[in-house]
Amino acid sequence: MTAALRVGPRVRNPIGWRQRLARLGGSPVDLDLRAFDEPLADIARLEEEVAGLSDAQITRRGAELRAGAEAGLALDVLRAPFFALVREAAGRTLGLRPFDVQVVAALALARGRVVEMQTGEGKTLVAVMPAALHALTGNGVHVLTFNDYLAHRDAEWMGPIYRMLGLSVDAVQQGMTPAARHRAYRADVTYVTAREAGFDYLRDLRATDPGDIVHRPFHMALVDEADSLLIDEARVPLVIAGRAEPHDSRAPRLAALVGTLTAGVDFDTDEYGRSAELTEAGLARLERELGVSNLHDAGHYPLLTEINCALHARVLLRRDVDYLVRDGRIGMIDEFTGRVVPDRHWPDGLQAALEAKESIAPDADGRILGSMPLQHYLRGYPLLCGMTGTAQDAAHEIHDLYGLETVVVPTCRPMVRIDRPDVVFTHREAKEQAVVDEIRRVHARRRPVLVGTLSVVESERLAGRLRAAGVACEVLNARNDAAEARLVANAGRLDAVTISTNMAGRGTDIRLGGANEAEREQVMALGGLYVIGTNRHESRRVDLQLRGRAGRQGDAGTTRFFVSLDDDLLVRYGIRNLIPARLMPARSDEPVEQPLVRREIARAQRIIEGQNHEICGTLSRYTEIVEEQRRRLMERRQAFLHGRASPDVWRTVPDRYRELVEACGAEVVRRAEVAVTLHEIDQAWSEHLARCADLREGIHLVRLGQQDPLARFTDEVVDIYDRMEVEIDDAVRTALHAIRVNGRHLDLASVGVRGPASTWTYLVNDNPFRDQIGQMLTGPGRTSIAIFSAMWLMPLMITWGLVDRYLRRRARRRADPYR
């Protein structure tokens, strides 16, 4: 991306005819920054005046603007004078005066946009301006970060700016007490991970005392690494669980049995390695071993499910690729970041099967008390915005899921990084040898090299080959993530060779020369950091994140990917089938020189992204109805909790109700009925989630009967919910007869009103539609059909996009207070 072209306070992107045509066709990516010229000029005009203020006067001016906002003055009126204050405060407290491009990014965020800014362009500082502006209303702003470390670091680092403006700032960390969380959320600006904020929200929904609620009503969220949290993590359910009754698990025995099965005889896998199923011979063998006549009988459904989980764990989940074993626990490896994800596991049956496979003591059994996809949590904020270095490739998904447009902000200095074309090989051995040879060649000149690999096992295999070739290297992967800060700090130094998984691809900032400025000039003279990718990822955004480690803030740098035709991605999605047989190269240790091969790999990557987009959209449609029911039920629950409404179920049994009132008093009975009602709502909702999950798992089978699975699912879920509402009232009424009087009190324990002994939170790597939709869209023989259909539909899509664009512009003029 080229540098900003400035004439006075103006920032511009280079815009070609393709970008203009795409925008006219309804693209959610906005490259035209002329709308920010006027507010940028307004801010610039105030700088001289603000520069003459003392520190105390800046704080006083900030308090005056806050009083105006709390009195109802529109933020667009306060924006220019307040941004000028923020700019001056940042320069005085941190020595960081925001550039014009950073101010433009802040203006876009304040308008509720997703902003694309390249690596090293100062996104942390940019976030302060819109967060502080919206905090003036007194309603609180959440800056949602990628991990706990960043939440704490950014709150501490940017804290002096907020405090000079008269605003409070705090951070929420994993392990904090409820009281500390309550204080942190009462700050004007709170830095917190989306995961922790979501878990706190789930706990709030189960509160039985208003004083236990830590959140206040949502106002604004600014999402860092927006594409990751809004898209990659969006479909991940947040779960709060309580301890269930212990029971003997069959998982160890089933894992041992499945471990004796033979591939191709007892079970088969599809050619892409995405599913595994038992053969008739395998079923018969298991039935003999288990003493079961027919595993497909309805009464054996739970057992068959556990067997399939054991098979999935054995065949499809790979140690040191999908997970690793550390400290006697299973650690799930996030495919997008390469990190072990805290508090995440697979759905309970699959998690138990994996623990049995690895002979690990199982985690405590739990009953799901509440669950919500991260996407629905984020959509609960009235104002949502975000920033990332790779927003354009996710712009359509972000717009479809959240209605947010993407604004691209240019770099402050020219981007001089060189992105070389891929080098393609016919097989993995040739590719890895070429990578080793390339690293040796570059390392001989002392130029720093960063190598991005796909998995823990690949990173360690490549490191072994390099050491055998006499090249010293450091390895950064999920197995030694504690050393991340040290390894990243040194990755840009002379002679450094760092082999990493995707951990070094997002949220890391590699400085050339490290802390040594003299060494920085030497590294620049050598061409900067050389980044090598050893695989293409399903998402181009992950590849771009890796490229983005080089070329920071106008630094020199080079990137290149080495690919083989038997890489996991290319095999799994049948990309070889896209290459005409006459052009398919014979096995060779030399690079493939056919340009068509590189183009087909890039095209297949776009197709896979389209498939994943469709999966995400389908998951959203299936969860939407359940989310609407959750909102409806929780509004009713909150009304009871805060005294805005009364259940009034016990009054329908007047004799018993009158008896209790005479014994204990009307207020005691009222509080008891509320407590019982809250308990029954929580119990019923937990059971409702379990029913919906069971229904969703098998709903795709109705397609065999020519029915629409989504329509059938919706009908069934609505019916289940309607029955649940009746069951709640019946249970509350039953408790009226069962509750015991204890002096002037009612014994709630006598009707089972007690919380679980302990609760915990986790995330579920739950995507039941991946294989189903993947096979429909890009299964054997269907990739070319998808491309052919898209080609014929394009004219119709452009026509509709023009109409839709016009209608959205009119609607936005009415709705956007800044226009």
Side-chain angles (χ1 to χ4, degrees), residues 489 492-494 511-523:
R493 301 199 63 182
L494 288 170
R511 299 178 63 88
L512 299 186
N516 189 328
E517 280 298 318
E519 196 171 295
R520 167 185 164 77
E521 296 305 317
Q522 291 179 266
V523 174

Side-chain angles (χ1 to χ4, degrees), residues 310-327:
L311 183 63
H312 188 130
R314 174 193 165 185
V315 178
L316 304 181
L317 295 180
R318 300 161 295 173
R319 183 168 178 165
D320 294 337
V321 176
D322 302 300
Y323 68 94
L324 55 77
V325 177
R326 184 168 61 182
D327 301 327

Side-chain angles (χ1 to χ4, degrees), residues 99-173:
F99 299 118
D100 287 350
V101 290
Q102 291 175 305
V103 175
V104 166
L107 289 166
L109 290 167
R111 294 183 179 187
R113 306 289 191 267
V114 171
V115 173
E116 177 175 284
M117 296 181 70
Q118 294 301 307
T119 301
E121 290 296 301
K123 290 190 284 291
T124 304
L125 180 60
V126 166
V128 173
M129 290 180 271
L133 175 66
H134 283 272
L136 292 179
T137 62
N139 294 317
V141 172
H142 294 169
V143 180
L144 302 179
T145 65
F146 200 63
N147 56 48
D148 269 6
Y149 165 74
L150 291 176
H152 180 265
R153 185 204 70 177
D154 293 353
E156 288 288 317
W157 185 15
M158 298 293 121
I161 305 176
Y162 290 113
R163 287 188 282 274
M164 179 172 277
L165 298 167
L167 298 171
S168 59
V169 61
D170 208 337
V172 174
Q173 301 281 278

Side-chain angles (χ1 to χ4, degrees), residues 301 695-707 709 712 772:
Y301 175 75
L695 178 63
R696 191 185 64 174
E697 287 293 329
I699 198 66
H700 64 284
L701 297 176
V702 304
R703 193 182 297 277
L704 301 175
Q706 305 302 310
Q707 295 184 52
R712 177 68 177 272
Q772 300 161 25

